[in-house]
Amino acid sequence: MTRMQREEWQDIVRDVDWAFAYADDEAVFPEWQSGTGSVPREAWKDWEEGYKITYPEYVAVQREKETSVFAVKAALQRSKVFDDLDEGWKSTAKAHFGATSLIEYIGMIGELRMARFGLNGGWRNMAVMGALDEIRHAQISLAFAHEFVPKDPQYDWALKAYQTNNWAIIAARRLLDGITCDANVVDVAIQLPLIFETGFTNLQFVGMAADALASGDINFANMISSIQTDEARHAQQGGPTIEILMKHDPARAQWVADKMFWLTGRVFAILTGPAMDYYTPLAHRKQSYKEFMEEWIITQYMRTLNDYGLKKPWYWDQFLENLETTHHALHLGVWFTRPTVWWKPQAGVSRAERAWLNQKYPHWEELYGEYWDVITHNINRGEMASTLPETLPWICNTCQLPICTHTSSPDGKWRVRNFAHTHDGRQHHFCSDVCRTIWQEDHDTLHMKTMVERLLAGDVQPPDIPGLLGYMGITPDVAGDDAYGYKWAAEYLPGKAAE
Ligand code: MN
Ligand code: MN
């Protein structure tokens, strides 16, 4: 039997739009879900993905990917690779598993919403495959982490993290809910495929794959590279959507892209920043976080802006300046509050590592050296209580991360500032003018109580550190501690100063 050529039938199965006889278009594609806004309904007929794939092709390719990933996993299961992995590197993997395994699942919800409410048949088809991709990513991440649970209970947080009120997860959940669930699907297509996936997952999945390979974690590198190949395909839903939006409502396209680029950048600063500049063993670092951001995110995002006729975000200079500071401050905060996280933060401030940081970041010593000096001194005097928190840092009402980013001022001094805003008689606090502006515009869809507000409202009982750890789901067997048991501090003992 001869089969029809793909070109002959693909359009028929791809374009499944028709005029409804028994229901209004508005009933099938309600505005609050579909979100066409001021874009005429017919304009969406022009939506077309660049790289087309049919369902049989999809299944064949995915089957191959799964087979090869699990073949490597099976081969490594018999080796001792895991036992030899560096503790700092393992923390990168654990932070990743907890922060992203169920983000993949939330990504699936975004894809399914586009698969139902997207305003073009081709788009909805592409989103169905996107949803299948995200199911695979959630499952593969959980399966890979599960293998290590008997060896180290922190890997259990691949599944557990999103079920808790851990502060880092509140920040990630706020971001992902905002990207996939709270917005209409036109905005979702810009926020998820264009900004989050095209803009940023490269950083985590390509960048971390290189560091994983160098650190000897072949399994992890293999898994995230396989995931990234799917992302590259379904991420193309962003392009045609923004092209149509730019034609009819460029101001909306600009706002959604600017807002989400900033917010996603905040979360990656705490997830990927410390992993690249502190947790990955010095000898295995490919590039600094800033260098990676410059090469992979900024250059690529500039190209995206150019391709679609978008302007640079209004906060661009601030964004570039923050590459010198934000993730260093967040790393310091994560290390300091280490019992609150499900991995073991590697301080990453031995003499050799500090020399590397100073070479990569000209302001590092000036801004962060003194804090680490005090911490190191306290460790060496055995005053561990002084290296641990007594309460919470103030948290930004938009990005849900500690307010800790230094900004430069005309007098040459760098300072951490609080950006306040009173709304309905209540004071809100922000890490930056940008987060404040975003909240002022979009707090209806972006607001979530911060950990500090929960504490002050009496949600956390007792309102102290043990109460907070309980509220965050942290049990003694997973509470984070220094990756190397503070051994790195010994080279700063007075007798060793000459070295
Ligand atoms: Mn994914
Ligand atoms: Mn995705």
Side-chain angles (χ1 to χ4, degrees):
M1 196 174 89
T2 50
R3 296 172 98 184
M4 280 168 82
Q5 293 295 309
R6 176 218 225 230
E7 295 71 38
E8 293 174 60
W9 57 267
Q10 184 164 30
D11 269 355
I12 303 168
V13 298
R14 182 189 161 274
D15 179 11
V16 290
D17 280 312
W18 65 89
F20 301 110
Y22 301 105
D24 295 335
D25 190 70
E26 162 66 24
V28 184
F29 298 104
E31 175 61 20
W32 68 279
Q33 290 277 16
S34 293
T36 193
S38 59
V39 181
R41 185 66 175 85
E42 328 73 75
W44 297 102
K45 286 199 175 74
D46 295 336
W47 196 102
E48 190 170 5
E49 70 277 30
Y51 170 73
K52 296 194 176 62
I53 184 164
T54 64
Y55 186 70
E57 288 163 343
Y58 174 84
V59 173
V61 171
Q62 297 305 96
R63 182 177 187 280
E64 234 167 74
K65 286 187 199 172
E66 282 284 279
T67 309
S68 89
V69 169
F70 280 92
V72 173
K73 182 174 187 279
L76 288 170
Q77 238 158 4
R78 291 186 294 272
S79 76
K80 280 199 153 32
V81 169
F82 179 82
D83 303 318
D84 296 337
L85 289 178
D86 180 271
E87 208 54 60
W89 167 259
K90 279 188 202 166
S91 280
T92 293
K94 287 183 247 183
H96 174 98
F97 277 126
T100 68
S101 300
L102 294 199
I103 276 187
E104 305 282 11
Y105 183 85
I106 303 175
M108 177 204 66
I109 297 172
E111 295 289 342
L112 285 178
R113 292 187 60 229
M114 294 191 286
R116 169 61 184 81
F117 296 107
L119 292 164
N120 178 289
W123 177 6
R124 295 194 297 276
N125 262 328
M126 181 60 57
V128 169
M129 293 182 233
L132 292 171
D133 289 339
E134 303 299 5
I135 292 171
R136 174 171 104 92
H137 303 168
Q139 290 184 343
I140 199 176
S141 302
L142 292 174
F144 273 57
H146 185 73
E147 181 186 339
F148 305 127
V149 175
K151 299 183 184 195
D152 182 340
Q154 289 186 322
Y155 281 91
D156 196 26
W157 273 58
L159 181 61
K160 185 176 174 181
Y162 267 80
Q163 331 291 341
T164 73
N165 280 315
N166 182 274
W167 67 271
I169 287 302
I170 292 175
R173 194 156 58 209
R174 174 60 278 158
L175 175 70
L176 264 293
D177 282 359
I179 289 177
T180 62
C181 302
D182 300 347
N184 62 69
V185 302
V186 170
D187 289 0
V188 170
I190 293 168
Q191 299 181 150
L192 183 64
L194 190 80
I195 302 297
F196 191 85
E197 289 170 346
T198 314
F200 281 92
T201 57
N202 265 332
L203 180 68
Q204 186 70 6
F205 287 83
V206 179
M208 296 317 304
D211 282 348
L213 269 187
S215 303
D217 200 347
I218 303 157
N219 227 2
F220 189 83
N222 192 35
M223 178 192 81
I224 61 178
S225 307
S226 180
I227 288 175
Q228 183 56 20
T229 59
D230 293 350
E231 296 295 333
R233 172 177 29 72
H234 67 238
Q236 50 165 344
Q237 293 170 89
T241 309
I242 201 152
E243 273 173 21
I244 292 171
L245 201 54
M246 281 302 284
K247 254 187 228 163
H248 300 275
D249 195 351
R252 175 180 167 196
Q254 186 78 46
W255 169 253
V256 175
D258 287 357
K259 172 179 73 173
M260 216 35 85
F261 188 82
W262 177 267
L263 294 178
T264 306
R266 303 303 285 176
V267 166
F268 276 79
I270 193 167
L271 181 64
T272 324
M276 285 187 166
D277 285 355
Y278 294 89
Y279 300 173
T280 300
L282 185 56
H284 299 148
R285 290 178 202 163
K286 291 281 175 215
Q287 283 177 308
S288 70
Y289 173 70
K290 187 177 90 179
E291 286 162 347
F292 204 94
M293 286 293 290
E294 282 166 349
E295 184 177 334
W296 287 84
I297 306 301
I298 292 171
T299 311
Q300 185 184 270
Y301 195 56
M302 284 292 150
R303 206 179 307 137
T304 303
L305 296 178
N306 223 20
D307 287 353
Y308 300 117
L310 290 154
K311 293 195 268 303
K312 258 193 221 171
W314 82 91
Y315 51 70
W316 197 244
D317 293 344
Q318 182 69 63
F319 180 80
L320 296 181
E321 188 182 278
N322 286 358
L323 292 179
E324 301 285 343
T325 55
T326 308
H327 71 290
H328 297 303
L330 290 171
H331 166 66
L332 182 60
V334 168
W335 189 89
F336 189 63
T337 56
R338 56 205 178 281
T340 68
V341 296
W342 63 90
W343 64 90
K344 293 183 188 167
Q346 128 93 312
V349 289
S350 66
R351 286 189 197 281
E353 288 164 320
R354 275 175 80 147
W356 182 87
L357 287 162
N358 280 314
Q359 183 215 331
K360 299 290 181 186
Y361 299 94
H363 296 285
W364 193 91
E365 197 60 47
E366 173 197 345
L367 298 178
Y368 305 105
E370 212 184 320
Y371 295 111
W372 284 109
D373 286 344
V374 172
I375 287 172
T376 309
H377 186 63
N378 284 330
I379 293 170
N380 282 335
R381 287 194 309 171
E383 293 190 8
M384 297 313 288
S386 310
T387 71
L388 288 160
E390 287 175 4
T391 185
L392 288 173
W394 206 267
I395 288 175
C396 173
N397 267 109
T398 299
C399 69
Q400 300 275 337
L401 295 172
I403 298 176
C404 63
T405 299
H406 287 80
T407 45
S408 62
S409 19
D411 65 5
K413 294 234 169 75
W414 293 66
R415 294 188 186 85
V416 175
R417 294 176 177 75
N418 166 45
F419 296 82
H421 170 65
T422 306
H423 179 82
D424 280 349
R426 274 193 63 168
Q427 272 245 312
H428 296 274
H429 300 275
F430 303 90
C431 67
S432 55
D433 190 32
V434 185
C435 272
R436 179 170 61 184
T437 302
I438 292 171
W439 193 91
Q440 285 165 338
E441 289 291 323
D442 277 358
H443 55 85
D444 287 349
T445 54
L446 283 172
H447 190 75
M448 190 184 267
K449 264 203 279 184
T450 68
M451 191 58 89
V452 173
E453 288 168 335
R454 292 161 198 238
L455 184 72
L456 297 178
D459 298 355
V460 179
Q461 292 300 336
D464 53 16
I465 294 290
L468 273 164
L469 292 175
Y471 182 79
M472 290 192 252
I474 295 281
T475 46
D477 57 330
V478 297
D481 200 356
D482 184 78
Y484 297 119
Y486 311 95
K487 286 197 196 86
W488 54 270
E491 65 172 350
Y492 294 95
L493 279 165
K496 304 229 174 184
E499 284 172 31

